[in-house]
Amino acid sequence: MPNPAHRTAADDDALLEELHVLAWDTPGMAPYRGDSPGHPFPRLTAADLESAEREIGYRLPELLRRIHTEIGDGGFGPEGGLASLVPGRRPTGYLQDWPCSVTVSDGRAAGWSPPPSWLFLTDGGCSMEWYVSLIAVDNPVLLWDADGWEPDRGQDPHDGLRYAAPSLRQWLWTWADGGLVWDDALTVLDHFHDPTNAS
């Protein structure tokens, strides 16, 4: 099995096929604490996608566009499952709507949101959230601590950044290959917090 770091755009069709199998054809799939809807939400049309991009203000990475139009509008994938791009998605039996990348920051206090060029991907538990950069080269995936920065101390949302996977592609391949997207992040965080580490 190739290292996710060595995958390129030439492997994207294979990645989409693997994600489709995991999303639709894996019986009883529960990728994260059993909290996922079990299957993706319906795929987006091109018009739906373009409407979401207008609302976001950025074009999404091609890989993410293909996921939402070829597999489904969130509800599967790393962590609890990718957020949707359409508000009001509610899995059967849920009391609340599924997280929506377009509206996730609406409930935040003024000044407490990540930069608009970060797109919410999924919850990371506690105050951690996974985002993808829509403007950085290779669209790195960011692990952000929503409580990890203090505007009263002159900090901005970037100060809450705890980890960045090199690319959306690598992050998704890690999950598709059966790995845990937290492994590399925890290694980095443990290294950062290790008091014996002098580097």
Side-chain angles (χ1 to χ4, degrees):
M1 164 183 328
N3 185 318
H6 299 150
R7 305 283 195 166
T8 68
D11 301 307
D12 284 356
D13 286 344
L15 174 58
L16 268 289
E17 288 177 19
E18 188 68 25
L19 293 175
H20 192 281
V21 168
L22 288 168
W24 290 106
D25 301 332
T26 306
M29 182 190 72
Y32 176 68
R33 294 187 231 141
D35 290 344
S36 113
H39 286 300
F41 295 105
R43 293 183 303 242
L44 296 184
T45 65
D48 291 333
L49 179 66
E50 290 165 8
S51 176
E53 288 178 329
R54 280 193 300 275
E55 189 74 23
I56 293 165
Y58 292 88
R59 181 181 170 89
L60 300 185
E62 191 59 30
L63 188 52
L64 200 55
R65 295 177 106 243
R66 290 188 64 188
I67 287 170
H68 284 272
T69 57
E70 296 178 28
I71 300 175
D73 183 34
F76 77 101
E79 296 291 88
L82 296 174
S84 73
L85 294 175
V86 174
R89 300 280 198 194
R90 184 173 294 186
T92 303
Y94 278 57
L95 298 177
Q96 296 181 337
D97 291 346
W98 192 253
C100 174
S101 295
V102 177
T103 61
V104 73
S105 63
D106 289 353
R108 297 186 193 278
W112 283 83
S113 294
S117 62
W118 293 9
L119 182 78
F120 178 79
L121 288 173
T122 188
D123 183 62
C126 297
S127 60
M128 300 295 232
E129 299 171 345
W130 293 95
Y131 286 80
V132 61
S133 172
L134 301 179
I135 59 174
V137 174
D138 291 331
N139 305 111
V141 172
L142 315 168
L143 180 60
W144 185 63
D145 185 350
D147 292 333
W149 62 285
E150 293 288 342
D152 294 343
R153 295 183 182 172
Q155 295 179 334
D156 67 25
H158 286 89
D159 292 300
L161 183 61
R162 296 294 176 254
Y163 170 76
S167 70
L168 176 64
R169 179 175 292 109
Q170 181 173 329
W171 190 73
L172 289 168
W173 266 117
T174 296
W175 183 78
D177 284 341
L180 298 175
V181 294
W182 269 98
D183 282 354
D184 286 343
L186 289 175
T187 300
V188 170
L189 292 171
D190 288 345
H191 179 79
F192 179 76
H193 293 295
D194 183 354
T196 64
N197 181 9
S199 59

